[in-house]
Amino acid sequence: MISTVENSEIVVGLDIGTTKVSAVVGEVDEDGITILGVGNVPCRGLRKGVVSNVDWTTRSIAEAIEAAQTMAGVEIRTVYAGVCGSHIRCQPSDGVAAIGGGEVTPTDVDRVLEGARAIPIDADRQILHVLPHEFIVDNQDGIRDPVGMSGVRLGVHVNLITAASSPVQNVIRCAERCGLTVADVVLEPLASADSVLSEDEKEIGVAVIDIGGGTTDVLLYADGGIGHVSVIPVGGNNVTADIAAGLRTPMGEAERLKRKVGCALGRMVDDAEEIEVPGVGGHLSRTAPRRLLSDIIEPRVEEIFAVIRNRVEDTGLYDQLSAGAVLTGGGVLIEGMIEFAEEILGMPVRLGTPIGVRGITQLVDAPQYATGVGLVQYGASALADARGRDLGSSYHEDTLESPVSEERIARSGSRFLSWLRAAF
Ligand SMILES: Nc1ncnc2c1ncn2[C@@H]1O[C@H](COP(=O)(O)OP(=O)(O)OP(=O)(O)O)[C@@H](O)[C@H]1O
Ligand SMILES: [Mg+2]
């Protein structure tokens, strides 16, 4: 979102994941988003979705941005950055406001959302998003967009997404150390969901499950809105570590075996198949049944899906997920994952890759890019919202050039509303 081409703007999503940093560059115009370039660099600076080494993370961000700039041919100064980790919480809240002029205006919506976020939270936490679930005008409930409706009293039910402040600030600090301005911090599963879901799925209820390297994120759409978000601190890296320990092979070889010949469901593997397992610490390679590898992978994957199913059931929304589940994130690429998920979750499951963008889409046509592309989509909605509210150049100056502030994070609630509006 730095260089402005005529009638279009550049928006950059920065996905700082446990295994990699992805910078996705999109050009936004009235026809939508065109992917111009991607920078994807391995990163070892995070543990379970949270920055644990600022130097390593900063270095990976700088390399990813450099690669994305070169490919896209634009200079990147501002990004929409993802945040995640098991410190994320989702809690319901309500707001009520009087409708000023007898008809609901965007200002009334802002005021009622402001009321919904006015609840006590711990001093070391901050509100990331205010996700409206439904509005109520006088006694009429179930309203998705109340603007223009007549009434005297506007109410709202929201889900507040809160995060521990220091992991959020560390993401911002790492980006700033690369000379970048963070326009907004966005919850990663929210971004992933928007890039992989169809409108139909959101409408009838769906679970989005993003299995990354260090975390598994669960986000539920029910009743046309986001009903639940949670982050489980387990992911594909745990599968790799199990393989390394179980087959006594180096981590790098375990990762290679998982990707090339791993299978999440033992019964899909022929008993006669054999694989080559490199030894560790000078031991020679040996052959082993491929079934042995899947016998290591299967229980870990089973555990992950069982935890997800319990989470979903605990929310009481299980029966409302008519579209089933969409699996995304690099961790779902192990053979047999979709079949296994259907079995344990007891619902139809599909693989989710980014949709709704144009341009060099083959660059982002994989589940690992769901978050990066979703961050661009979020940024594009924020821009459209700013224009819709006619904030003009002063908004842009603020958004583009000044560091992310509490106030800006607060505004992301109403931004999210317009994002939802655009989606439905
Ligand atoms: N072809 C593949 N087959 C199996 N697993 C794969 C494949 N490609 C990537 N993975 C796994 O996907 C995981 C990384 O996924 P992703 O890039 O979505 O995670 P991340 O965003 O870095 O991490 P997180 O979201 O947890 O912070 C790793 O565990 C990796 O082993
Ligand atoms: Mg991720």
Side-chain angles (χ1 to χ4, degrees):
M1 201 172 59
I2 9 65
S3 74
T4 308
V5 191
E6 204 177 343
N7 295 326
S8 71
E9 216 135 358
I10 302 296
V11 177
V12 180
L14 184 65
D15 172 16
I16 307 171
T18 308
T19 65
K20 54 97 190 18
V21 173
S22 292
V24 178
V25 184
E27 184 179 4
V28 181
D29 60 22
E30 63 273 18
D31 294 329
I33 296 168
T34 304
I35 300 297
L36 298 182
V38 174
N40 197 45
V41 169
C43 180
R44 294 180 51 229
L46 279 82
R47 276 205 74 234
K48 299 192 176 299
V50 170
V51 175
S52 60
N53 185 312
V54 169
D55 283 342
W56 292 352
T57 307
T58 303
R59 209 171 309 147
S60 296
I61 293 173
E63 285 175 24
I65 291 288
E66 176 69 35
Q69 284 187 149
T70 307
M71 188 183 291
V74 296
E75 188 199 350
I76 298 171
R77 284 195 284 132
T78 301
V79 295
Y80 285 83
V83 287
C84 204
S86 51
H87 57 94
I88 299 293
R89 301 269 178 279
C90 176
Q91 66 183 94
S93 179
D94 299 328
V96 183
I99 299 168
E103 182 181 302
V104 180
T105 63
T107 313
D108 295 324
V109 172
D110 281 349
R111 277 194 300 119
V112 78
L113 290 174
E114 201 51 46
R117 48 175 291 131
I119 60 155
I121 58 166
D122 294 345
D124 58 353
R125 296 185 68 77
Q126 64 187 73
I127 295 174
L128 272 191
H129 301 285
V130 182
L131 309 179
H133 202 247
E134 64 166 348
F135 289 90
I136 304 114
V137 176
D138 296 341
N139 290 322
Q140 188 184 342
D141 58 11
I143 300 166
R144 222 168 270 163
D145 182 0
V147 173
M149 293 187 71
S150 298
V152 292
R153 188 171 179 271
L154 178 64
V156 68
H157 295 312
V158 303
N159 275 313
L160 293 179
I161 306 290
T162 67
S165 300
S166 57
V168 176
Q169 293 310 317
N170 281 334
V171 163
I172 295 169
R173 186 159 307 131
C174 290
E176 287 181 346
R177 281 178 59 168
C178 299
L180 299 166
T181 298
V182 178
D184 229 334
V185 281
V186 182
L187 182 68
E188 287 171 12
L190 223 53
S192 303
D194 204 52
S195 78
V196 302
L197 292 183
S198 70
E199 300 314 322
D200 293 347
E201 287 170 323
K202 290 179 188 172
E203 199 73 57
I204 66 170
V206 67
V208 184
I209 298 163
D210 181 334
I211 305 183
T215 65
T216 293
D217 315 330
V218 181
L219 181 145
L220 307 182
Y221 263 93
D223 262 345
I226 292 167
H228 170 85
V229 184
S230 63
V231 180
I232 303 161
V234 181
N237 286 357
N238 298 84
V239 177
T240 306
D242 290 349
I243 296 169
L247 292 182
R248 290 195 298 277
T249 192
M251 285 292 277
E253 297 297 344
E255 177 73 25
R256 194 183 56 80
L257 286 170
K258 178 179 82 169
R259 291 183 185 215
K260 283 227 157 108
V261 286
C263 186
L265 264 179
R267 65 160 193 273
M268 288 170 70
V269 175
D270 186 337
D271 280 340
E273 279 185 78
E274 300 226 306
I275 57 171
E276 179 91 5
V277 180
V280 71
H283 286 92
L284 292 177
S285 292
R286 61 193 193 285
T287 55
R290 184 175 172 223
R291 180 69 193 244
L292 187 59
L293 177 62
S294 62
D295 283 348
I296 295 169
I297 297 172
E298 187 172 314
R300 175 65 79 170
V301 171
E302 184 176 12
E303 180 199 25
I304 293 174
F305 287 131
V307 172
I308 294 169
R309 176 158 183 154
N310 284 341
R311 287 265 167 121
V312 176
E313 284 178 342
D314 286 349
T315 64
L317 299 174
Y318 183 89
D319 292 332
Q320 296 186 40
L321 307 174
S322 306
V326 178
L327 292 194
T328 191
V332 306
L333 287 171
I334 306 173
E335 189 188 332
M337 286 292 270
I338 303 290
E339 294 83 350
F340 206 3
E342 283 189 334
E343 230 172 83
I344 300 179
L345 300 177
M347 55 178 77
V349 176
R350 72 166 178 91
L351 177 70
T353 55
I355 54 173
V357 288
R358 297 170 298 150
I360 325 175
T361 50
Q362 60 272 31
L363 287 175
V364 292
D365 188 22
Q368 298 94 309
Y369 293 108
T371 307
V373 172
L375 290 169
V376 176
Q377 289 167 330
Y378 185 96
S381 295
L383 278 183
D385 186 36
R387 288 223 189 80
R389 283 162 190 248
D390 199 25
L391 296 179
S393 58
S394 64
Y395 172 87
H396 283 270
E397 212 171 285
D398 173 35
T399 303
L400 297 178
E401 304 305 339
S402 62
V404 74
S405 63
E406 273 288 316
E407 187 224 340
R408 184 174 301 156
I409 290 172
R411 280 208 307 262
S412 69
S414 50
R415 265 186 210 161
F416 191 77
L417 178 65
S418 66
W419 196 35
L420 275 184
R421 273 196 210 122
F424 287 102

Coordinates of all heavy atoms in Angstrom, one line a residue, residues 207-211 216-218 263-268 297-310 312-313 318 321 323-329 331-352:
A207 N -16.5 -24.5 9.4 CA -15.3 -24.4 10.2 C -14.1 -24.2 9.3 O -14.0 -24.9 8.3 CB -15.1 -25.7 11.1
V208 N -13.2 -23.3 9.7 CA -11.9 -23.1 9.0 C -10.8 -23.6 9.9 O -10.8 -23.1 11.1 CB -11.6 -21.7 8.6 CG1 -10.4 -21.6 7.8 CG2 -12.8 -21.1 7.8
I209 N -10.1 -24.5 9.5 CA -9.0 -25.1 10.3 C -7.7 -24.9 9.6 O -7.4 -25.4 8.6 CB -9.2 -26.6 10.6 CG1 -10.6 -26.8 11.3 CG2 -8.1 -27.2 11.4 CD1 -11.1 -28.2 11.3
D210 N -6.8 -24.0 10.2 CA -5.5 -23.7 9.6 C -4.4 -24.4 10.4 O -4.1 -24.0 11.6 CB -5.3 -22.1 9.7 CG -4.0 -21.7 9.0 OD1 -3.0 -22.5 9.0 OD2 -3.9 -20.5 8.5
I211 N -3.9 -25.5 9.8 CA -2.8 -26.2 10.5 C -1.5 -25.7 10.0 O -1.1 -26.0 8.8 CB -3.0 -27.7 10.3 CG1 -4.4 -28.2 10.8 CG2 -1.9 -28.5 11.1 CD1 -4.6 -29.7 10.7
T216 N -2.5 -24.6 15.4 CA -3.7 -25.0 14.7 C -4.8 -24.0 15.1 O -5.1 -23.9 16.2 CB -4.1 -26.5 15.0 OG1 -3.1 -27.3 14.5 CG2 -5.4 -26.8 14.4
D217 N -5.3 -23.3 14.1 CA -6.3 -22.3 14.4 C -7.7 -22.8 14.0 O -7.8 -23.3 12.9 CB -6.0 -21.0 13.6 CG -4.5 -20.6 13.7 OD1 -3.9 -20.9 14.7 OD2 -4.0 -20.0 12.7
V218 N -8.6 -22.5 14.8 CA -10.0 -22.9 14.5 C -10.9 -21.7 14.5 O -10.9 -20.9 15.5 CB -10.5 -23.9 15.6 CG1 -12.0 -24.4 15.3 CG2 -9.6 -25.1 15.7
C263 N 1.9 -40.3 5.3 CA 0.5 -40.5 5.1 C -0.1 -40.5 6.5 O 0.4 -41.1 7.5 CB 0.3 -41.8 4.4 SG -1.5 -42.1 4.0
A264 N -1.2 -39.8 6.6 CA -1.9 -39.6 7.9 C -2.7 -40.8 8.3 O -3.1 -41.0 9.5 CB -2.7 -38.3 7.9
L265 N -3.1 -41.6 7.3 CA -4.0 -42.8 7.6 C -3.2 -44.1 7.2 O -3.0 -44.4 6.0 CB -5.2 -42.7 6.7 CG -6.5 -42.1 7.4 CD1 -7.6 -42.1 6.4 CD2 -6.9 -42.8 8.6
G266 N -2.9 -44.8 8.2 CA -2.1 -46.1 8.0 C -2.8 -47.0 7.0 O -2.1 -47.6 6.2
R267 N -4.1 -47.1 7.1 CA -4.8 -48.1 6.2 C -4.7 -47.7 4.7 O -5.0 -48.5 3.9 CB -6.2 -48.3 6.6 CG -7.1 -47.1 6.5 CD -8.5 -47.5 6.4 NE -9.3 -46.4 6.0 CZ -9.8 -45.4 6.8 NH1 -9.6 -45.5 8.1 NH2 -10.5 -44.4 6.3
M268 N -4.3 -46.5 4.4 CA -4.1 -46.1 3.0 C -2.7 -46.5 2.4 O -2.4 -46.4 1.3 CB -4.2 -44.6 2.8 CG -5.6 -44.0 3.0 SD -5.7 -42.2 3.1 CE -5.3 -41.8 1.4
I297 N 2.8 -40.9 12.3 CA 2.0 -39.7 12.0 C 0.6 -39.8 12.5 O 0.0 -38.8 13.0 CB 2.1 -39.4 10.4 CG1 3.5 -39.2 9.9 CG2 1.2 -38.2 10.0 CD1 3.6 -39.1 8.4
E298 N 0.0 -40.9 12.3 CA -1.5 -41.1 12.5 C -1.9 -40.7 13.9 O -2.8 -39.9 14.1 CB -1.9 -42.5 12.2 CG -3.4 -42.7 12.3 CD -3.9 -44.0 11.8 OE1 -3.4 -44.5 10.7 OE2 -4.7 -44.6 12.5
P299 N -1.2 -41.1 15.0 CA -1.7 -40.8 16.3 C -1.7 -39.3 16.6 O -2.5 -38.7 17.3 CB -0.9 -41.5 17.3 CG 0.2 -42.2 16.5 CD -0.1 -42.1 15.1
R300 N -0.6 -38.6 16.1 CA -0.5 -37.1 16.3 C -1.6 -36.4 15.6 O -2.2 -35.5 16.1 CB 0.9 -36.7 15.8 CG 1.1 -35.2 15.9 CD 1.0 -34.6 17.3 NE 2.3 -34.8 18.0 CZ 2.6 -34.3 19.2 NH1 1.8 -33.5 19.8 NH2 3.8 -34.6 19.7
V301 N -1.9 -36.8 14.4 CA -2.9 -36.1 13.6 C -4.3 -36.4 14.2 O -5.1 -35.5 14.3 CB -2.9 -36.6 12.1 CG1 -4.1 -36.1 11.3 CG2 -1.6 -36.1 11.4
E302 N -4.5 -37.6 14.7 CA -5.7 -38.0 15.3 C -5.9 -37.1 16.6 O -7.0 -36.6 16.8 CB -5.6 -39.5 15.7 CG -6.9 -40.0 16.3 CD -6.9 -41.5 16.6 OE1 -5.8 -42.1 16.6 OE2 -7.9 -42.1 16.9
E303 N -4.8 -36.9 17.3 CA -4.9 -36.1 18.5 C -5.3 -34.7 18.1 O -6.2 -34.1 18.8 CB -3.6 -36.1 19.2 CG -3.5 -35.2 20.5 CD -2.1 -34.9 20.9 OE1 -1.2 -34.8 20.0 OE2 -1.9 -34.6 22.1
I304 N -4.7 -34.1 17.1 CA -5.0 -32.7 16.7 C -6.5 -32.6 16.3 O -7.2 -31.7 16.8 CB -4.1 -32.3 15.5 CG1 -2.7 -32.2 15.9 CG2 -4.6 -31.0 14.9 CD1 -1.7 -31.9 14.8
F305 N -7.0 -33.6 15.5 CA -8.4 -33.5 15.1 C -9.4 -33.7 16.2 O -10.5 -33.2 16.3 CB -8.7 -34.4 13.9 CG -8.1 -33.9 12.6 CD1 -7.3 -34.8 11.8 CD2 -8.3 -32.6 12.2 CE1 -6.8 -34.3 10.6 CE2 -7.8 -32.2 11.0 CZ -7.0 -33.0 10.2
A306 N -9.0 -34.6 17.2 CA -9.8 -34.8 18.3 C -9.9 -33.6 19.2 O -11.0 -33.2 19.7 CB -9.3 -36.0 19.1
V307 N -8.8 -32.9 19.4 CA -8.9 -31.6 20.1 C -9.8 -30.6 19.4 O -10.6 -29.9 20.0 CB -7.5 -31.0 20.3 CG1 -7.5 -29.6 21.0 CG2 -6.6 -31.9 21.2
I308 N -9.6 -30.5 18.1 CA -10.5 -29.6 17.3 C -12.0 -30.0 17.5 O -12.8 -29.1 17.8 CB -10.1 -29.7 15.8 CG1 -8.7 -29.1 15.6 CG2 -11.1 -28.9 15.0 CD1 -8.2 -29.4 14.2
R309 N -12.3 -31.3 17.4 CA -13.7 -31.7 17.5 C -14.2 -31.3 18.9 O -15.3 -30.7 19.0 CB -13.8 -33.2 17.3 CG -15.3 -33.6 17.5 CD -15.7 -34.8 16.9 NE -17.1 -35.0 17.1 CZ -18.0 -35.7 16.4 NH1 -17.5 -36.2 15.3 NH2 -19.2 -35.7 16.7
N310 N -13.4 -31.5 19.9 CA -13.9 -31.1 21.3 C -14.1 -29.6 21.4 O -15.1 -29.2 21.9 CB -12.8 -31.5 22.3 CG -12.9 -33.0 22.6 OD1 -13.8 -33.7 22.3 ND2 -11.8 -33.6 23.1
V312 N -14.9 -27.6 19.0 CA -16.1 -27.2 18.2 C -17.3 -27.6 19.0 O -18.3 -26.8 19.2 CB -16.1 -27.8 16.8 CG1 -17.4 -27.5 16.1 CG2 -14.9 -27.3 16.0
E313 N -17.3 -28.8 19.6 CA -18.5 -29.2 20.3 C -18.7 -28.4 21.6 O -19.9 -28.0 21.9 CB -18.3 -30.7 20.8 CG -18.6 -31.6 19.6 CD -18.4 -33.1 19.9 OE1 -17.7 -33.4 20.9 OE2 -18.8 -33.9 19.1
Y318 N -21.5 -26.9 16.7 CA -21.2 -28.1 15.9 C -22.4 -28.3 14.8 O -22.1 -28.5 13.6 CB -21.0 -29.3 16.7 CG -20.6 -30.5 15.9 CD1 -19.3 -30.8 15.6 CD2 -21.6 -31.4 15.4 CE1 -18.9 -31.9 14.9 CE2 -21.2 -32.5 14.7 CZ -19.9 -32.8 14.4 OH -19.6 -33.9 13.7
L321 N -22.7 -26.1 11.5 CA -21.7 -26.1 10.4 C -22.1 -26.9 9.2 O -21.5 -27.9 8.9 CB -20.3 -26.6 11.0 CG -19.9 -25.9 12.3 CD1 -18.7 -26.5 12.9 CD2 -19.7 -24.4 12.1
A323 N -21.8 -26.5 6.1 CA -20.9 -26.6 5.0 C -19.7 -27.5 5.4 O -18.7 -27.7 4.6 CB -20.4 -25.3 4.5
G324 N -19.6 -28.0 6.6 CA -18.5 -28.8 7.1 C -17.3 -28.0 7.4 O -17.4 -26.9 8.0
A325 N -16.1 -28.5 7.1 CA -14.9 -27.9 7.4 C -14.0 -27.6 6.2 O -14.0 -28.4 5.3 CB -14.1 -28.7 8.5
V326 N -13.2 -26.6 6.3 CA -12.2 -26.3 5.2 C -10.8 -26.3 5.9 O -10.6 -25.6 6.9 CB -12.5 -24.9 4.6 CG1 -11.4 -24.6 3.5 CG2 -13.8 -24.9 3.9
L327 N -10.0 -27.2 5.4 CA -8.6 -27.3 6.0 C -7.6 -26.5 5.2 O -7.6 -26.6 4.0 CB -8.1 -28.8 6.0 CG -8.8 -29.8 6.8 CD1 -7.9 -31.1 6.9 CD2 -9.1 -29.3 8.2
T328 N -6.9 -25.7 5.9 CA -5.8 -24.9 5.2 C -4.6 -24.8 6.0 O -4.5 -25.4 7.1 CB -6.4 -23.5 4.8 OG1 -5.5 -22.9 3.9 CG2 -6.6 -22.6 6.0
G329 N -3.5 -24.1 5.5 CA -2.2 -24.1 6.2 C -1.4 -25.3 5.7 O -1.9 -26.3 5.2
G331 N 0.3 -27.6 7.0 CA 0.2 -28.8 7.8 C -0.8 -29.8 7.2 O -0.7 -31.0 7.5
V332 N -1.7 -29.3 6.4 CA -2.8 -30.2 5.9 C -2.3 -31.0 4.6 O -3.1 -31.8 4.1 CB -4.1 -29.5 5.6 CG1 -4.5 -28.7 6.8 CG2 -4.0 -28.5 4.4
L333 N -1.1 -30.7 4.2 CA -0.7 -31.3 2.9 C -0.2 -32.8 3.0 O 0.1 -33.4 2.0 CB 0.5 -30.4 2.3 CG 0.0 -29.1 1.7 CD1 1.2 -28.2 1.3 CD2 -0.9 -29.3 0.5
I334 N -0.2 -33.3 4.2 CA 0.2 -34.7 4.3 C -0.9 -35.5 3.7 O -2.1 -35.3 3.9 CB 0.3 -35.1 5.8 CG1 1.3 -34.2 6.5 CG2 0.8 -36.6 5.9 CD1 1.4 -34.5 8.0
E335 N -0.5 -36.5 2.9 CA -1.5 -37.4 2.2 C -2.5 -38.0 3.3 O -2.1 -38.3 4.4 CB -0.8 -38.5 1.5 CG -1.6 -39.4 0.6 CD -0.9 -40.6 0.1 OE1 0.4 -40.5 0.0 OE2 -1.5 -41.6 -0.1
G336 N -3.8 -38.0 3.0 CA -4.7 -38.7 3.9 C -5.3 -37.8 4.9 O -6.2 -38.2 5.7
M337 N -4.9 -36.5 5.0 CA -5.4 -35.6 6.0 C -6.9 -35.3 5.9 O -7.6 -35.3 6.8 CB -4.7 -34.2 6.0 CG -3.3 -34.3 6.5 SD -3.2 -34.5 8.2 CE -3.2 -32.9 8.9
I338 N -7.3 -35.1 4.6 CA -8.7 -34.7 4.4 C -9.6 -35.9 4.8 O -10.6 -35.7 5.5 CB -9.0 -34.4 2.9 CG1 -8.1 -33.2 2.5 CG2 -10.4 -34.1 2.6 CD1 -8.4 -31.9 3.0
E339 N -9.3 -37.1 4.4 CA -10.0 -38.3 4.7 C -10.1 -38.5 6.2 O -11.2 -38.8 6.8 CB -9.4 -39.5 4.0 CG -9.5 -39.5 2.5 CD -8.3 -38.8 1.9 OE1 -7.6 -38.0 2.6 OE2 -8.2 -38.9 0.6
F340 N -9.0 -38.3 6.9 CA -8.9 -38.5 8.3 C -9.7 -37.5 9.0 O -10.5 -37.8 10.0 CB -7.4 -38.4 8.8 CG -7.1 -39.2 10.0 CD1 -8.1 -40.0 10.7 CD2 -5.8 -39.2 10.6 CE1 -7.8 -40.7 11.8 CE2 -5.5 -39.9 11.7 CZ -6.5 -40.6 12.3
A341 N -9.7 -36.2 8.6 CA -10.4 -35.2 9.2 C -11.9 -35.4 9.1 O -12.7 -35.3 10.0 CB -10.1 -33.8 8.5
E342 N -12.4 -35.9 7.9 CA -13.8 -36.2 7.7 C -14.3 -37.3 8.7 O -15.3 -37.2 9.3 CB -14.1 -36.7 6.3 CG -14.1 -35.6 5.3 CD -14.5 -36.0 3.9 OE1 -14.4 -37.2 3.6 OE2 -15.0 -35.1 3.2
E343 N -13.4 -38.3 8.9 CA -13.7 -39.4 9.9 C -13.8 -38.8 11.3 O -14.8 -39.1 12.0 CB -12.5 -40.3 9.8 CG -13.0 -41.8 9.6 CD -11.7 -42.6 9.4 OE1 -11.1 -43.0 10.4 OE2 -11.4 -42.9 8.2
I344 N -12.9 -38.1 11.8 CA -12.9 -37.7 13.2 C -13.9 -36.5 13.4 O -14.6 -36.5 14.4 CB -11.5 -37.3 13.6 CG1 -10.6 -38.5 13.5 CG2 -11.5 -36.8 15.1 CD1 -9.1 -38.3 13.9
L345 N -13.9 -35.5 12.5 CA -14.8 -34.4 12.7 C -16.3 -34.8 12.4 O -17.2 -34.1 12.9 CB -14.4 -33.2 11.8 CG -13.0 -32.7 12.1 CD1 -12.7 -31.5 11.1 CD2 -12.8 -32.2 13.5
G346 N -16.5 -35.8 11.6 CA -17.8 -36.2 11.3 C -18.6 -35.2 10.4 O -19.8 -35.0 10.6
M347 N -17.9 -34.6 9.5 CA -18.5 -33.7 8.5 C -17.7 -33.7 7.2 O -16.6 -34.1 7.2 CB -18.5 -32.3 9.2 CG -17.2 -31.8 9.6 SD -17.2 -30.1 10.3 CE -17.9 -30.3 11.9
P348 N -18.3 -33.1 6.2 CA -17.5 -33.0 4.9 C -16.4 -32.1 5.1 O -16.5 -31.0 5.7 CB -18.5 -32.5 3.9 CG -19.7 -32.1 4.6 CD -19.7 -32.6 6.0
V349 N -15.3 -32.4 4.5 CA -14.0 -31.6 4.6 C -13.4 -31.4 3.2 O -13.4 -32.3 2.4 CB -13.0 -32.3 5.5 CG1 -11.7 -31.5 5.6 CG2 -13.5 -32.5 6.9
R350 N -13.0 -30.1 2.9 CA -12.3 -29.9 1.7 C -11.0 -29.1 2.0 O -10.8 -28.5 3.1 CB -13.1 -29.1 0.7 CG -13.4 -27.6 1.0 CD -13.9 -26.9 -0.1 NE -14.2 -25.5 0.2 CZ -13.3 -24.5 0.0 NH1 -12.1 -24.7 -0.4 NH2 -13.6 -23.2 0.4
L351 N -10.1 -29.1 1.0 CA -8.8 -28.4 1.1 C -9.1 -26.9 0.7 O -9.8 -26.7 -0.3 CB -7.8 -29.0 0.2 CG -6.4 -28.3 0.1 CD1 -5.7 -28.5 1.4 CD2 -5.6 -28.8 -1.0
G352 N -8.5 -26.0 1.5 CA -8.8 -24.6 1.2 C -7.5 -23.9 0.7 O -6.5 -23.8 1.4

